[in-house]
Amino acid sequence: MRPLAKRLFGQPLAALAVTLAACAPEAPPPDTAARAVAITTAQAQSRPVEVLEESIGYIETETAPMVAAEVAGRLTAVEVEVGDAVTAGQVLARLDAQDYRNELRAARTETARLSALVDNQRRVVERFRSLGADRFVSETALDEAESQLKALIEQRANAAARADIAARALDKTTVTAPVPGTVQQRLVSAGTYVSAGQTLVQIATREALRIHLPFPETALGRLAPGQKVYLESPTAPGQVLTATLGELRPMVGTHNRAGEAIVQIANPGTWSPGASVTGRVVLTTRTSVVVPDVAVVLRPAGRVVYTVNPDHTVSQNVVTVGTRLGNEVEILSGLNPGQTVAKDGAHYLTDKASVRVQGEQS
């Protein structure tokens, strides 16, 4: 290409470059806000915190009577099975009652016979007294008649007592539940001959419960009757009962120096004997700084909380964590009440990082 052509061809390109350069926007300066981490914030609060000692124990019914036969006999029927719910007075078992009916019939017959003899002897005594006034009957005969009347009256009373005993024995051939509850054990079957006092079934009541909470030896010295305790059971998810610590029982053995605390409660309705239970005993109450649990993050320096500075940067604060309180956590050291801490987004922060508080106007 000739030199003139080169100059003529290059001039439009140069002009175009100048024009484009003039129209292009200036390169934006580095935007610090674009690099800021979006966070939400919360205030570190000072409030009372309960110091808790936790244990997992079990629920036991406070009343579990062993229902026994009160008279001897052969079982004709057992009306319940293990797991059945029963009401007070419900029939549990029946014994052969024929012998007891016969005894009752005999005792009542004897009572009736003696009553007739008493009435007859009373008329004899009245007649002797009338004749004795006219000296037709000796005093000795009258005394003998009166003595015989007294003996017959005593015999009738004894027969009546035997009839009452026979009636009670007959009634006891029907075994009933003394309390409402659930059948825990059935120890006999129909056809078995049982003696008086032999256990037939065991009933566990659900109305009054006893909670057993085991604790290690190191914790026993900090426990005392009367301390408040929070109870939770998987049989009633989400339900927390507040009760009072009762008796403390040491369980000292060769390889065991633990103990257990006993808590007695009324069944709220759905708690089951034999189920597990979590108990948290309140040892003491102290005033501490509390922050949301998401504000505490783990870093090489340990557990830290980021506090927000006025220039929209954060400072890293190494903290000592205490008791966890649901969605919050106790801070024992490293933070003061009233400080603004990073909440959501705290896991993405480092010391001196820039932040943008969501919901805050620029």
Side-chain angles (χ1 to χ4, degrees), residues 97-254:
Q98 188 58 48
D99 291 343
Y100 296 99
R101 292 194 191 96
N102 293 338
E103 288 181 11
L104 176 59
R105 187 180 299 111
R108 286 176 174 174
T109 300
E110 180 66 8
T111 302
R113 185 185 72 83
L114 289 169
S115 293
L117 291 176
V118 166
D119 292 341
N120 183 63
Q121 188 64 24
R122 185 173 284 116
R123 286 191 294 269
V124 171
V125 169
E126 290 174 354
R127 186 170 63 252
F128 277 15
R129 285 174 180 172
S130 176
L131 294 174
D134 296 329
R135 305 281 183 178
F136 290 112
V137 175
S138 66
E139 292 183 2
T140 301
L142 177 60
D143 290 342
E144 290 178 355
E146 289 178 341
S147 296
Q148 189 173 359
L149 174 61
K150 290 179 181 179
L152 289 171
I153 290 174
E154 290 179 358
Q155 291 177 28
R156 183 180 66 176
N158 288 335
R162 289 195 299 272
D164 183 64
I165 292 173
R168 288 171 58 84
L170 177 61
D171 185 62
K172 291 175 182 177
T173 59
T174 300
V175 182
T176 59
V179 294
T182 303
V183 177
Q184 290 276 86
Q185 298 184 74
R186 194 194 78 170
L187 304 174
V188 292
S189 301
T192 304
Y193 184 89
V194 297
S195 58
Q198 183 175 341
T199 301
L200 307 181
V201 297
Q202 182 183 28
I203 297 175
T205 65
R206 292 171 174 262
E207 296 178 357
L209 301 176
R210 183 185 293 113
I211 310 298
H212 294 257
L213 297 174
F215 288 96
E217 182 184 13
T218 54
L220 291 179
R222 296 180 291 172
L223 302 179
Q227 290 175 323
K228 183 164 64 173
V229 57
Y230 300 111
L231 302 170
E232 293 183 81
S233 174
T235 59
Q239 186 178 42
V240 180
L241 298 185
T242 302
T244 301
L245 206 64
E247 179 185 1
L248 296 177
R249 297 178 180 175
M251 298 185 297
V252 179
T254 305

Side-chain angles (χ1 to χ4, degrees), residues 1-20:
M1 186 180 291
R2 296 177 181 179
L4 178 60
K6 290 182 179 179
R7 289 196 300 270
L8 293 176
F9 181 77
Q11 287 179 354
L13 292 178
L16 178 61
V18 172
T19 304
L20 291 175

Side-chain angles (χ1 to χ4, degrees), residues 289-302:
V289 177
V290 175
V291 298
D293 57 358
V294 296
V296 181
V297 296
L298 188 60
R299 292 291 184 261

Side-chain angles (χ1 to χ4, degrees), residues 39-43 305-317 335 338-343 349 353-357 360:
I39 63 169
T40 61
T41 61
Q43 296 292 317
V305 172
Y306 292 100
T307 53
V308 180
N309 302 316
D311 62 354
H312 287 80
T313 62
V314 294
S315 297
Q316 177 176 290
N317 301 267
L335 199 64
Q339 288 185 282
T340 301
V341 300
K343 184 181 172 185
L349 298 177
S354 298
V355 294
R356 182 177 73 256
V357 179
E360 182 179 83

